[in-house]
Amino acid sequence: MSPKTRNVTQKEIARLAGVSQTTVSMVLNDRDGSNVRIPAATRERVKQAIEQSTYVADPAARRLAGLDNRIMGVFTYEPALSPESMDFYGPLLNGIERAAEEVGCDLLFFTSSPVEDGRRTLFHRKTRLRLADGCILLGQNMDGDDLKRLVDERFPFVAVGRRDETTARVPYVGIDYVSLTAELIRRASELGHREGIYVHRDRNSPTARDRRGQIVTTNESGDIRFTLLAIEENDVSSVVDTLASTGATVVFAEDTFLAEDVALAFIAAGIDVPRRVSLASLAEVRGHRIAGCALTGFQTPRQQIAAEALNLLQRLVITPAEQWSDLDTQLLLDGKLEFGETLVPPDSAS
Amino acid sequence: MSPKTRNVTQKEIARLAGVSQTTVSMVLNDRDGSNVRIPAATRERVKQAIEQSTYVADPAARRLAGLDNRIMGVFTYEPALSPESMDFYGPLLNGIERAAEEVGCDLLFFTSSPVEDGRRTLFHRKTRLRLADGCILLGQNMDGDDLKRLVDERFPFVAVGRRDETTARVPYVGIDYVSLTAELIRRASELGHREGIYVHRDRNSPTARDRRGQIVTTNESGDIRFTLLAIEENDVSSVVDTLASTGATVVFAEDTFLAEDVALAFIAAGIDVPRRVSLASLAEVRGHRIAGCALTGFQTPRQQIAAEALNLLQRLVITPAEQWSDLDTQLLLDGKLEFGETLVPPDSAS
DNA sequence: CTGAAAGCGCTTACAG
DNA sequence: CTGAAAGCGCTTACAG
């Protein structure tokens, strides 16, 4: 099958240098401890021989002999390198690549995973997972069972984005949306807003709950009174009525697509954004514009998240599983408020 | 170092199923030839045991035992996943990913390669190259020595883009710029152009020679007479004088950046493009515009190139090195003419 | 039909 | 200080 061009091995180097294969291995790995002390002379001889050959250690053999491989897996449920997904994955992959360079490991993309129902399967008869020392999981939504099984099997992995699809304690690196949401609310409050609407999709993901929770908390403390408006599909039409009935001066939307839809609904109804009503997205806005104004929202450090994920993974890999509980395996990074131009004082129209 | 969570092995499966480890291996690999005939009963028993365990073959061991790994390496001299390089690498990576899915192999990015002078090194003391069955090489310019060594060592690899940095026969997949250039010249000739300028960087890369060669050939046959204008750095100012002195009605530029610079020089000199002088790039134009007009040039199927490269690599991997000479290892794919709006009949101004 | 054995290239105790 | 030996998990002749 494989041509497997016969490569130079330690054995041959040993023959050339007139030493044993063990010695070659020792020299190669700088094993020079209490029990082993190789004189500079032989050491040099071996190095010479290596230099003159094209010798390169066979990573498969190293791996089999118990060393780690410095290979980190990257798993995505969809193709990660397609033009469509680049918008989402691009910054993440970049962060991972940079961190990998620093850590000094290679990246294995599991492109061979069989596709079922349009999604790649992580576990299957011939999972390649174990070729890697550990694995980064990327994707908008992940399979709870997969996460659980990874935890159960004590395979080192880190999810990008906060995860609690399962009761198992999933290592992840995500964004602290609670603080971001709180800060945005504070800013709105400072500007004088007292009555708001929170438009959301009524999802049950961790980040959705984080945001909603903070909105609810605010309602209890009372800075701004929020009406929660759960919408189905993308039908945001009800927001116009709600605006009228509540007299709200500001609308927060769970994500940027939603914010955009809300803006369109307002504009269609002849309601001026942001003068009659302020608008903000509780998500990455990345230069989004609404009626010519930069949308207010968050800036999430995606590259950094991904890089931190790889670093955390590295820590897991070099730590025996029994001590994982000592590690901080659920990290939330700070995002930044992107103030934009769509959050203005109420009654800016008059 | 590595936690190396003890994994289920064939030995344990064997114990569970009450057979020998050899048998497990046989079942796993569907080895059912003339010498081996495993009755459905035992086969089933083994499969059961596997099903109930979390068994997964250790790829390192498989590899060591001589099987291929279904891992293809991807090597780039610069970071491939950075935002800046995405423009160039994006389509290529996408093509590779898609082909990898089809072939059923994983992709190993050699992010661990030590960086020297701002470039990653392919060969170094701990090359991981051999972890992969073969390798795709990506990049604008590659190291001739690297290519030679890969050929010498008979390591399966394929370069993306035509290569002849070395005398060794490098497997590659590239674009047929000769035909594209010829076609563009034919179109210009049909439009009535007789006098032209070819602005180039005087480089010695294969694709540069392909284009220039075709221009020179044209000069010999005589459809259009081209003045070759080699420019240094990006100083295209001489093109204006050359236009005046030759009375050329069309300018071809070696690449799109150059075409853009030439256009700017003309416009600055009050020369109307394309009415006074037509302009075309002998490279990918991808919706580039010159003074509001779509630039004439080529369309190069980058995703397809990359996909073909992976397919060729796969062929190399499964073919013993001795038979590589039977394979067609240097492929040129057809590009397409992107006619655009900057190649018009001469004297369109009058 | 099935298993014991050798071997892939390496590392690491363990004896000299 | 150095080498012979065992072992990592697998495959594949080779004997039963």
Side-chain angles (χ1 to χ4, degrees), chain B residues 143-196:
Chain B
D143 183 305
D145 292 341
D146 283 353
L147 296 174
K148 181 154 180 4
R149 178 157 174 193
L150 285 168
V151 172
D152 287 348
E153 293 191 9
R154 317 198 131 227
F155 186 77
F157 80 102
V158 175
V160 169
R162 209 176 130 182
R163 296 294 155 189
D164 51 9
E165 276 87 345
T166 167
T167 51
R169 197 158 191 285
V170 174
Y172 63 73
V173 180
I175 295 284
D176 180 2
Y177 281 106
V178 172
S179 306
L180 276 174
T181 303
E183 190 181 344
L184 188 61
I185 292 174
R186 191 170 51 70
R187 296 294 283 267
S189 164
E190 282 170 10
L191 286 174
H193 292 278
R194 292 294 169 262
E195 194 71 39

Side-chain angles (χ1 to χ4, degrees), chain A residues 197-214:
Chain A
I197 303 176
Y198 181 54
V199 183
H200 64 102
R201 298 183 194 276
D202 205 17
R203 289 183 309 195
N204 200 23
S205 72
T207 57
R209 269 182 280 118
D210 278 353
R211 292 172 235 225
R212 207 156 56 227
Q214 195 54 34

Side-chain angles (χ1 to χ4, degrees), chain A residues 21-336:
Chain A
Q21 181 253 324
T22 306
T23 305
V24 176
S25 173
M26 296 297 192
V27 171
L28 237 16
N29 295 302
D30 281 322
R31 288 284 176 279
D32 211 27
S34 43
N35 301 327
V36 266
R37 187 140 294 283
I38 301 171
T42 40
R43 188 176 293 278
E44 207 42 53
R45 202 142 34 89
V46 172
K47 284 201 166 156
Q48 288 274 331
I50 293 171
E51 217 62 55
Q52 276 159 31
S53 72
T54 59
Y55 176 81
V56 137
D58 182 335
R62 283 174 69 88
R63 169 73 169 172
L64 200 54
L67 267 59
D68 65 351
N69 245 344
R70 318 234 93 199
I71 293 182
M72 298 298 187
V74 176
F75 183 84
T76 57
Y77 285 96
E78 319 92 43
L81 301 170
S82 73
E84 309 84 53
S85 54
M86 260 314 158
D87 208 42
F88 177 73
Y89 287 119
L92 297 176
L93 294 176
N94 179 231
I96 292 176
E97 180 178 46
R98 285 192 330 210
E101 282 195 350
E102 244 165 76
V103 168
C105 66
D106 296 321
L107 256 19
L108 186 63
F109 285 68
F110 296 109
T111 39
S112 72
S113 306
V115 174
E116 264 174 35
D117 299 328
R119 305 192 87 209
R120 289 182 181 157
T121 30
L122 181 53
F123 288 105
H124 55 272
R125 256 173 51 88
K126 303 199 169 178
T127 325
R128 318 292 296 284
L129 213 50
R130 303 229 106 88
L131 230 198
D133 295 337
C135 185
I136 296 276
L137 252 62
L138 253 36
Q140 314 262 26
N141 32 62
M142 303 181 180
D143 183 306
D145 292 341
D146 283 353
L147 296 175
K148 183 156 178 5
R149 179 157 172 191
L150 285 169
V151 172
D152 288 349
E153 293 191 10
R154 320 199 126 225
F155 185 76
F157 80 104
V158 175
V160 170
R162 208 175 131 186
R163 296 295 154 187
D164 52 8
E165 276 88 344
T166 167
T167 51
R169 196 158 192 285
V170 173
Y172 63 72
V173 181
I175 295 285
D176 180 2
Y177 282 106
V178 172
S179 305
L180 276 175
T181 303
E183 190 181 345
L184 188 61
I185 292 173
R186 192 170 50 70
R187 296 295 282 268
S189 165
E190 282 170 11
L191 286 174
H193 292 280
R194 292 295 170 262
E195 194 71 41
I197 303 176
Y198 181 54
V199 183
H200 64 102
R201 298 183 194 276
D202 205 17
R203 289 183 309 195
N204 200 23
S205 72
T207 57
R209 269 182 280 118
D210 278 353
R211 292 172 235 225
R212 207 156 56 227
Q214 195 54 34
I215 296 280
V216 170
T217 302
T218 302
N219 271 350
E220 286 157 8
S221 71
D223 267 352
I224 303 185
R225 224 186 61 88
F226 276 101
T227 301
L228 274 73
L229 184 61
I231 64 122
E232 282 174 19
E233 300 299 315
N234 289 316
D235 180 18
V236 296
S237 52
S238 54
V239 74
V240 175
D241 289 341
T242 312
L243 186 74
S245 64
T246 61
T249 56
V250 60
V251 174
F252 286 176
E254 185 174 10
D255 60 63
T256 301
F257 295 115
L258 215 44
E260 204 160 40
D261 289 347
V262 167
L264 291 176
F266 282 149
I267 290 166
I271 299 170
D272 189 342
V273 178
R275 273 182 291 201
R276 164 62 187 86
V277 58
S278 287
L279 183 61
S281 162
L282 301 195
E284 170 77 47
V285 284
R286 195 177 289 269
H288 235 82
R289 308 204 135 252
I290 297 286
C293 300
L295 179 61
T296 299
F298 303 154
Q299 239 180 272
T300 55
R302 307 237 228 135
Q303 304 186 3
Q304 198 195 333
I305 292 182
E308 283 303 326
L310 192 83
N311 289 331
L312 172 55
L313 181 56
Q314 168 72 0
R315 260 172 276 145
L316 286 173
V317 165
I318 63 177
T319 307
E322 305 79 49
Q323 295 166 33
W324 283 353
S325 47
D326 301 344
L327 258 44
D328 198 5
T329 57
Q330 303 192 319
L331 304 181
L332 287 184
L333 268 45
D334 288 333
K336 264 174 34 190

Side-chain angles (χ1 to χ4, degrees), chain B residues 269-286:
Chain B
I271 299 170
D272 189 343
V273 178
R275 272 180 292 200
R276 163 64 186 86
V277 57
S278 287
L279 181 62
S281 162
L282 302 195
E284 170 77 48
V285 285
R286 196 178 288 270

